[in-house]
Amino acid sequence: MSAQPLSDTTGSNDFGADRIDVALVRRLVAEQFPRWAHLPIRPVEVGGWDNRTFHLGDTMSVRLPSGAGYALQVGKEQRWLPVLGPRLPLEVPTPLAYGRADGSYPYPWSVYRWIDGRTARAERIDDLTRFATDLAAFLRALRAVDTSDAPAAGAHIAWRGGPLSTYDAETRAAIETHRDRLPVDAVTSIWQAALDATFSGPPVWFHGDVAYGNLLVRDGRLAAVIDFGCCGVGDPACDTVLAWTLLHGPSRAAFRDALGLDDTTWARGRGWALWKALITLDNPEPAKAAEARHVLGELLVRRPFA
């Protein structure tokens, strides 16, 4: 199977996130799980786009993929979260029911136990260094879980955990597009170093999308890790990207020390962070474009760029 860029494999909204609303969720729940038909349904505060999430009563949530690429991940979460959860030191989603596609909604979907918490923005975290070490302990525990029969990196997760060379052409094209705004030699050097730092295994479990939106805090501390749609077994370098998106200074150093990964893994991690920043630098959403500029600044040790 040939590798395709993330934007090509999972970026299209085949069904359309805007078509997934309360009325659709209410009908699906009533038809497939009538025992919950009486419960109120409302969108969550941060509903997502790849998948849309809704409250189901006070103790459950409903999560529906918006495209065929994301739908591939539903069965994996149903299969593996019950295996991973008891082996991890933080709360993770618990599947309660497995919804099926029907004539008006074309993908499988899930009901989960609701997890209280807020997305891990810096202002909600009391001690960023402790947060970093708590997250590192979680990722180390995840890497230690037995990999027998586990899903390998592939198109179902946009090749996270696989080789960075999948995105070589896309990254170099983005560098060329933005060459008037970037220190091209420095950026190209980071990318080439990432490509040269090849993964030699053994394959381990990775989360695949360790972003602040998938980390929940309660009372100022990391409490849960959600959205395992991109998890799998392979190269854990993709799980280091938070070092440049949220962490800095002492917290970044603590994260690196506590993760216990070698220099080549960190070189590949910088590559993952660079690739994502470059392809979102012109994102029409100002917040995402600003985040891309921030990450580039961190990767370049705050060298200025336009």
Side-chain angles (χ1 to χ4, degrees), residues 149-177:
D149 301 319
H156 66 105
I157 50 175
W159 301 96
R160 286 184 173 94
L164 273 169
S165 55
T166 301
Y167 297 108
D168 188 32
E170 186 176 40
T171 301
R172 293 185 189 277
I175 293 172
E176 183 62 28
T177 296

PDB file of all heavy atoms in Angstrom, residues 149-177:
ATOM      1  N   ASP A 149      -0.330  -8.713  18.208  1.00  0.00           N
ATOM      2  CA  ASP A 149      -1.542  -8.511  17.408  1.00  0.00           C
ATOM      3  C   ASP A 149      -1.996  -7.056  17.333  1.00  0.00           C
ATOM      4  O   ASP A 149      -3.090  -6.767  16.851  1.00  0.00           O
ATOM      5  CB  ASP A 149      -2.707  -9.367  17.932  1.00  0.00           C
ATOM      6  CG  ASP A 149      -2.388 -10.851  17.924  1.00  0.00           C
ATOM      7  OD1 ASP A 149      -1.768 -11.313  16.942  1.00  0.00           O
ATOM      8  OD2 ASP A 149      -2.744 -11.542  18.890  1.00  0.00           O
ATOM      9  N   ALA A 150      -1.183  -6.137  17.825  1.00  0.00           N
ATOM     10  CA  ALA A 150      -1.572  -4.728  17.838  1.00  0.00           C
ATOM     11  C   ALA A 150      -1.475  -4.126  16.438  1.00  0.00           C
ATOM     12  O   ALA A 150      -0.734  -4.611  15.581  1.00  0.00           O
ATOM     13  CB  ALA A 150      -0.679  -3.954  18.804  1.00  0.00           C
ATOM     14  N   PRO A 151      -2.221  -3.033  16.168  1.00  0.00           N
ATOM     15  CA  PRO A 151      -2.232  -2.438  14.831  1.00  0.00           C
ATOM     16  C   PRO A 151      -0.938  -1.708  14.499  1.00  0.00           C
ATOM     17  O   PRO A 151      -0.479  -0.856  15.254  1.00  0.00           O
ATOM     18  CB  PRO A 151      -3.413  -1.457  14.889  1.00  0.00           C
ATOM     19  CG  PRO A 151      -3.538  -1.117  16.347  1.00  0.00           C
ATOM     20  CD  PRO A 151      -3.145  -2.367  17.096  1.00  0.00           C
ATOM     21  N   ALA A 152      -0.345  -2.048  13.392  1.00  0.00           N
ATOM     22  CA  ALA A 152       0.888  -1.399  12.949  1.00  0.00           C
ATOM     23  C   ALA A 152       0.577  -0.074  12.261  1.00  0.00           C
ATOM     24  O   ALA A 152      -0.558   0.178  11.833  1.00  0.00           O
ATOM     25  CB  ALA A 152       1.642  -2.313  11.991  1.00  0.00           C
ATOM     26  N   ALA A 153       1.580   0.770  12.159  1.00  0.00           N
ATOM     27  CA  ALA A 153       1.428   2.040  11.459  1.00  0.00           C
ATOM     28  C   ALA A 153       0.965   1.791  10.031  1.00  0.00           C
ATOM     29  O   ALA A 153       1.381   0.839   9.381  1.00  0.00           O
ATOM     30  CB  ALA A 153       2.747   2.799  11.459  1.00  0.00           C
ATOM     31  N   GLY A 154       0.087   2.673   9.548  1.00  0.00           N
ATOM     32  CA  GLY A 154      -0.417   2.524   8.190  1.00  0.00           C
ATOM     33  C   GLY A 154      -1.352   3.649   7.836  1.00  0.00           C
ATOM     34  O   GLY A 154      -1.449   4.668   8.541  1.00  0.00           O
ATOM     35  N   ALA A 155      -2.081   3.483   6.761  1.00  0.00           N
ATOM     36  CA  ALA A 155      -2.968   4.533   6.267  1.00  0.00           C
ATOM     37  C   ALA A 155      -4.068   4.864   7.264  1.00  0.00           C
ATOM     38  O   ALA A 155      -4.566   5.997   7.297  1.00  0.00           O
ATOM     39  CB  ALA A 155      -3.580   4.111   4.934  1.00  0.00           C
ATOM     40  N   HIS A 156      -4.468   3.904   8.093  1.00  0.00           N
ATOM     41  CA  HIS A 156      -5.556   4.142   9.040  1.00  0.00           C
ATOM     42  C   HIS A 156      -5.202   5.206  10.065  1.00  0.00           C
ATOM     43  O   HIS A 156      -6.101   5.753  10.717  1.00  0.00           O
ATOM     44  CB  HIS A 156      -5.940   2.834   9.744  1.00  0.00           C
ATOM     45  CG  HIS A 156      -4.872   2.282  10.636  1.00  0.00           C
ATOM     46  ND1 HIS A 156      -4.933   2.349  11.998  1.00  0.00           N
ATOM     47  CD2 HIS A 156      -3.697   1.662  10.345  1.00  0.00           C
ATOM     48  CE1 HIS A 156      -3.841   1.785  12.512  1.00  0.00           C
ATOM     49  NE2 HIS A 156      -3.080   1.366  11.524  1.00  0.00           N
ATOM     50  N   ILE A 157      -3.924   5.513  10.232  1.00  0.00           N
ATOM     51  CA  ILE A 157      -3.503   6.574  11.148  1.00  0.00           C
ATOM     52  C   ILE A 157      -2.590   7.564  10.442  1.00  0.00           C
ATOM     53  O   ILE A 157      -1.762   8.212  11.078  1.00  0.00           O
ATOM     54  CB  ILE A 157      -2.825   5.998  12.403  1.00  0.00           C
ATOM     55  CG1 ILE A 157      -1.731   4.987  12.035  1.00  0.00           C
ATOM     56  CG2 ILE A 157      -3.842   5.372  13.316  1.00  0.00           C
ATOM     57  CD1 ILE A 157      -0.949   4.474  13.226  1.00  0.00           C
ATOM     58  N   ALA A 158      -2.749   7.675   9.132  1.00  0.00           N
ATOM     59  CA  ALA A 158      -1.962   8.633   8.354  1.00  0.00           C
ATOM     60  C   ALA A 158      -0.464   8.438   8.553  1.00  0.00           C
ATOM     61  O   ALA A 158       0.305   9.376   8.549  1.00  0.00           O
ATOM     62  CB  ALA A 158      -2.356  10.069   8.685  1.00  0.00           C
ATOM     63  N   TRP A 159      -0.063   7.171   8.752  1.00  0.00           N
ATOM     64  CA  TRP A 159       1.344   6.786   8.823  1.00  0.00           C
ATOM     65  C   TRP A 159       2.090   7.352  10.010  1.00  0.00           C
ATOM     66  O   TRP A 159       3.317   7.386  10.029  1.00  0.00           O
ATOM     67  CB  TRP A 159       2.057   7.110   7.508  1.00  0.00           C
ATOM     68  CG  TRP A 159       1.410   6.387   6.387  1.00  0.00           C
ATOM     69  CD1 TRP A 159       0.456   6.874   5.535  1.00  0.00           C
ATOM     70  CD2 TRP A 159       1.595   5.016   6.011  1.00  0.00           C
ATOM     71  NE1 TRP A 159       0.038   5.893   4.656  1.00  0.00           N
ATOM     72  CE2 TRP A 159       0.731   4.735   4.923  1.00  0.00           C
ATOM     73  CE3 TRP A 159       2.413   4.005   6.488  1.00  0.00           C
ATOM     74  CZ2 TRP A 159       0.661   3.496   4.316  1.00  0.00           C
ATOM     75  CZ3 TRP A 159       2.350   2.767   5.879  1.00  0.00           C
ATOM     76  CH2 TRP A 159       1.486   2.518   4.802  1.00  0.00           C
ATOM     77  N   ARG A 160       1.364   7.816  11.047  1.00  0.00           N
ATOM     78  CA  ARG A 160       2.056   8.096  12.303  1.00  0.00           C
ATOM     79  C   ARG A 160       2.670   6.785  12.805  1.00  0.00           C
ATOM     80  O   ARG A 160       2.071   5.726  12.685  1.00  0.00           O
ATOM     81  CB  ARG A 160       1.090   8.677  13.326  1.00  0.00           C
ATOM     82  CG  ARG A 160       0.708  10.121  13.042  1.00  0.00           C
ATOM     83  CD  ARG A 160      -0.176  10.641  14.155  1.00  0.00           C
ATOM     84  NE  ARG A 160      -0.432  12.057  14.026  1.00  0.00           N
ATOM     85  CZ  ARG A 160      -1.491  12.591  13.431  1.00  0.00           C
ATOM     86  NH1 ARG A 160      -2.391  11.792  12.874  1.00  0.00           N
ATOM     87  NH2 ARG A 160      -1.668  13.899  13.377  1.00  0.00           N
ATOM     88  N   GLY A 161       3.844   6.897  13.371  1.00  0.00           N
ATOM     89  CA  GLY A 161       4.553   5.706  13.783  1.00  0.00           C
ATOM     90  C   GLY A 161       5.323   5.044  12.662  1.00  0.00           C
ATOM     91  O   GLY A 161       6.066   4.095  12.903  1.00  0.00           O
ATOM     92  N   GLY A 162       5.168   5.549  11.450  1.00  0.00           N
ATOM     93  CA  GLY A 162       5.885   5.034  10.302  1.00  0.00           C
ATOM     94  C   GLY A 162       7.021   5.970   9.914  1.00  0.00           C
ATOM     95  O   GLY A 162       7.377   6.899  10.651  1.00  0.00           O
ATOM     96  N   PRO A 163       7.601   5.773   8.744  1.00  0.00           N
ATOM     97  CA  PRO A 163       8.755   6.579   8.337  1.00  0.00           C
ATOM     98  C   PRO A 163       8.367   7.994   7.931  1.00  0.00           C
ATOM     99  O   PRO A 163       7.363   8.218   7.246  1.00  0.00           O
ATOM    100  CB  PRO A 163       9.309   5.805   7.143  1.00  0.00           C
ATOM    101  CG  PRO A 163       8.131   5.068   6.594  1.00  0.00           C
ATOM    102  CD  PRO A 163       7.281   4.708   7.774  1.00  0.00           C
ATOM    103  N   LEU A 164       9.186   8.946   8.347  1.00  0.00           N
ATOM    104  CA  LEU A 164       8.973  10.345   7.960  1.00  0.00           C
ATOM    105  C   LEU A 164       9.112  10.552   6.461  1.00  0.00           C
ATOM    106  O   LEU A 164       8.591  11.536   5.919  1.00  0.00           O
ATOM    107  CB  LEU A 164       9.972  11.243   8.686  1.00  0.00           C
ATOM    108  CG  LEU A 164       9.570  11.739  10.068  1.00  0.00           C
ATOM    109  CD1 LEU A 164      10.767  12.381  10.740  1.00  0.00           C
ATOM    110  CD2 LEU A 164       8.424  12.729   9.983  1.00  0.00           C
ATOM    111  N   SER A 165       9.800   9.660   5.787  1.00  0.00           N
ATOM    112  CA  SER A 165       9.978   9.808   4.339  1.00  0.00           C
ATOM    113  C   SER A 165       8.636   9.856   3.603  1.00  0.00           C
ATOM    114  O   SER A 165       8.559  10.365   2.481  1.00  0.00           O
ATOM    115  CB  SER A 165      10.835   8.670   3.791  1.00  0.00           C
ATOM    116  OG  SER A 165      10.282   7.408   4.128  1.00  0.00           O
ATOM    117  N   THR A 166       7.579   9.347   4.242  1.00  0.00           N
ATOM    118  CA  THR A 166       6.232   9.455   3.669  1.00  0.00           C
ATOM    119  C   THR A 166       5.897  10.893   3.316  1.00  0.00           C
ATOM    120  O   THR A 166       5.221  11.161   2.325  1.00  0.00           O
ATOM    121  CB  THR A 166       5.195   8.924   4.679  1.00  0.00           C
ATOM    122  OG1 THR A 166       5.496   7.574   4.990  1.00  0.00           O
ATOM    123  CG2 THR A 166       3.787   9.030   4.132  1.00  0.00           C
ATOM    124  N   TYR A 167       6.398  11.819   4.116  1.00  0.00           N
ATOM    125  CA  TYR A 167       6.046  13.228   3.967  1.00  0.00           C
ATOM    126  C   TYR A 167       7.192  14.077   3.417  1.00  0.00           C
ATOM    127  O   TYR A 167       7.160  15.294   3.506  1.00  0.00           O
ATOM    128  CB  TYR A 167       5.571  13.780   5.311  1.00  0.00           C
ATOM    129  CG  TYR A 167       4.318  13.087   5.779  1.00  0.00           C
ATOM    130  CD1 TYR A 167       4.351  12.201   6.844  1.00  0.00           C
ATOM    131  CD2 TYR A 167       3.116  13.272   5.109  1.00  0.00           C
ATOM    132  CE1 TYR A 167       3.210  11.538   7.249  1.00  0.00           C
ATOM    133  CE2 TYR A 167       1.972  12.620   5.502  1.00  0.00           C
ATOM    134  CZ  TYR A 167       2.017  11.757   6.561  1.00  0.00           C
ATOM    135  OH  TYR A 167       0.882  11.086   6.949  1.00  0.00           O
ATOM    136  N   ASP A 168       8.193  13.429   2.847  1.00  0.00           N
ATOM    137  CA  ASP A 168       9.348  14.170   2.351  1.00  0.00           C
ATOM    138  C   ASP A 168       8.954  15.157   1.259  1.00  0.00           C
ATOM    139  O   ASP A 168       9.299  16.348   1.316  1.00  0.00           O
ATOM    140  CB  ASP A 168      10.408  13.198   1.848  1.00  0.00           C
ATOM    141  CG  ASP A 168      11.722  13.885   1.492  1.00  0.00           C
ATOM    142  OD1 ASP A 168      12.052  14.898   2.142  1.00  0.00           O
ATOM    143  OD2 ASP A 168      12.398  13.415   0.573  1.00  0.00           O
ATOM    144  N   ALA A 169       8.242  14.695   0.253  1.00  0.00           N
ATOM    145  CA  ALA A 169       7.877  15.578  -0.858  1.00  0.00           C
ATOM    146  C   ALA A 169       6.998  16.720  -0.372  1.00  0.00           C
ATOM    147  O   ALA A 169       7.198  17.885  -0.780  1.00  0.00           O
ATOM    148  CB  ALA A 169       7.167  14.774  -1.942  1.00  0.00           C
ATOM    149  N   GLU A 170       6.037  16.418   0.495  1.00  0.00           N
ATOM    150  CA  GLU A 170       5.141  17.456   0.995  1.00  0.00           C
ATOM    151  C   GLU A 170       5.904  18.491   1.809  1.00  0.00           C
ATOM    152  O   GLU A 170       5.664  19.708   1.684  1.00  0.00           O
ATOM    153  CB  GLU A 170       4.045  16.812   1.844  1.00  0.00           C
ATOM    154  CG  GLU A 170       2.975  17.788   2.310  1.00  0.00           C
ATOM    155  CD  GLU A 170       1.860  17.098   3.070  1.00  0.00           C
ATOM    156  OE1 GLU A 170       2.163  16.182   3.879  1.00  0.00           O
ATOM    157  OE2 GLU A 170       0.690  17.463   2.865  1.00  0.00           O
ATOM    158  N   THR A 171       6.840  18.045   2.643  1.00  0.00           N
ATOM    159  CA  THR A 171       7.605  18.965   3.475  1.00  0.00           C
ATOM    160  C   THR A 171       8.519  19.848   2.635  1.00  0.00           C
ATOM    161  O   THR A 171       8.589  21.073   2.842  1.00  0.00           O
ATOM    162  CB  THR A 171       8.436  18.172   4.499  1.00  0.00           C
ATOM    163  OG1 THR A 171       7.555  17.395   5.304  1.00  0.00           O
ATOM    164  CG2 THR A 171       9.245  19.103   5.378  1.00  0.00           C
ATOM    165  N   ARG A 172       9.209  19.262   1.679  1.00  0.00           N
ATOM    166  CA  ARG A 172      10.108  20.070   0.842  1.00  0.00           C
ATOM    167  C   ARG A 172       9.324  21.057  -0.015  1.00  0.00           C
ATOM    168  O   ARG A 172       9.790  22.188  -0.248  1.00  0.00           O
ATOM    169  CB  ARG A 172      10.985  19.148  -0.006  1.00  0.00           C
ATOM    170  CG  ARG A 172      11.958  18.329   0.826  1.00  0.00           C
ATOM    171  CD  ARG A 172      12.908  17.495  -0.014  1.00  0.00           C
ATOM    172  NE  ARG A 172      13.683  16.571   0.821  1.00  0.00           N
ATOM    173  CZ  ARG A 172      14.792  16.913   1.475  1.00  0.00           C
ATOM    174  NH1 ARG A 172      15.254  18.153   1.402  1.00  0.00           N
ATOM    175  NH2 ARG A 172      15.439  16.003   2.199  1.00  0.00           N
ATOM    176  N   ALA A 173       8.150  20.666  -0.454  1.00  0.00           N
ATOM    177  CA  ALA A 173       7.312  21.603  -1.208  1.00  0.00           C
ATOM    178  C   ALA A 173       6.884  22.772  -0.326  1.00  0.00           C
ATOM    179  O   ALA A 173       6.855  23.926  -0.773  1.00  0.00           O
ATOM    180  CB  ALA A 173       6.093  20.881  -1.773  1.00  0.00           C
ATOM    181  N   ALA A 174       6.552  22.475   0.936  1.00  0.00           N
ATOM    182  CA  ALA A 174       6.156  23.538   1.859  1.00  0.00           C
ATOM    183  C   ALA A 174       7.327  24.471   2.160  1.00  0.00           C
ATOM    184  O   ALA A 174       7.149  25.702   2.262  1.00  0.00           O
ATOM    185  CB  ALA A 174       5.614  22.935   3.143  1.00  0.00           C
ATOM    186  N   ILE A 175       8.530  23.914   2.298  1.00  0.00           N
ATOM    187  CA  ILE A 175       9.709  24.760   2.505  1.00  0.00           C
ATOM    188  C   ILE A 175       9.896  25.694   1.317  1.00  0.00           C
ATOM    189  O   ILE A 175      10.160  26.901   1.471  1.00  0.00           O
ATOM    190  CB  ILE A 175      10.962  23.893   2.724  1.00  0.00           C
ATOM    191  CG1 ILE A 175      10.854  23.124   4.040  1.00  0.00           C
ATOM    192  CG2 ILE A 175      12.229  24.759   2.712  1.00  0.00           C
ATOM    193  CD1 ILE A 175      11.959  22.098   4.245  1.00  0.00           C
ATOM    194  N   GLU A 176       9.748  25.166   0.123  1.00  0.00           N
ATOM    195  CA  GLU A 176       9.906  25.987  -1.075  1.00  0.00           C
ATOM    196  C   GLU A 176       8.832  27.061  -1.149  1.00  0.00           C
ATOM    197  O   GLU A 176       9.116  28.217  -1.491  1.00  0.00           O
ATOM    198  CB  GLU A 176       9.852  25.093  -2.323  1.00  0.00           C
ATOM    199  CG  GLU A 176      10.090  25.832  -3.628  1.00  0.00           C
ATOM    200  CD  GLU A 176      11.460  26.476  -3.704  1.00  0.00           C
ATOM    201  OE1 GLU A 176      12.408  25.966  -3.055  1.00  0.00           O
ATOM    202  OE2 GLU A 176      11.589  27.511  -4.400  1.00  0.00           O
ATOM    203  N   THR A 177       7.604  26.707  -0.812  1.00  0.00           N
ATOM    204  CA  THR A 177       6.506  27.670  -0.846  1.00  0.00           C
ATOM    205  C   THR A 177       6.767  28.851   0.079  1.00  0.00           C
ATOM    206  O   THR A 177       6.449  30.001  -0.249  1.00  0.00           O
ATOM    207  CB  THR A 177       5.194  26.987  -0.444  1.00  0.00           C
ATOM    208  OG1 THR A 177       4.871  25.983  -1.416  1.00  0.00           O
ATOM    209  CG2 THR A 177       4.046  27.986  -0.348  1.00  0.00           C
TER     210      THR A 177
END
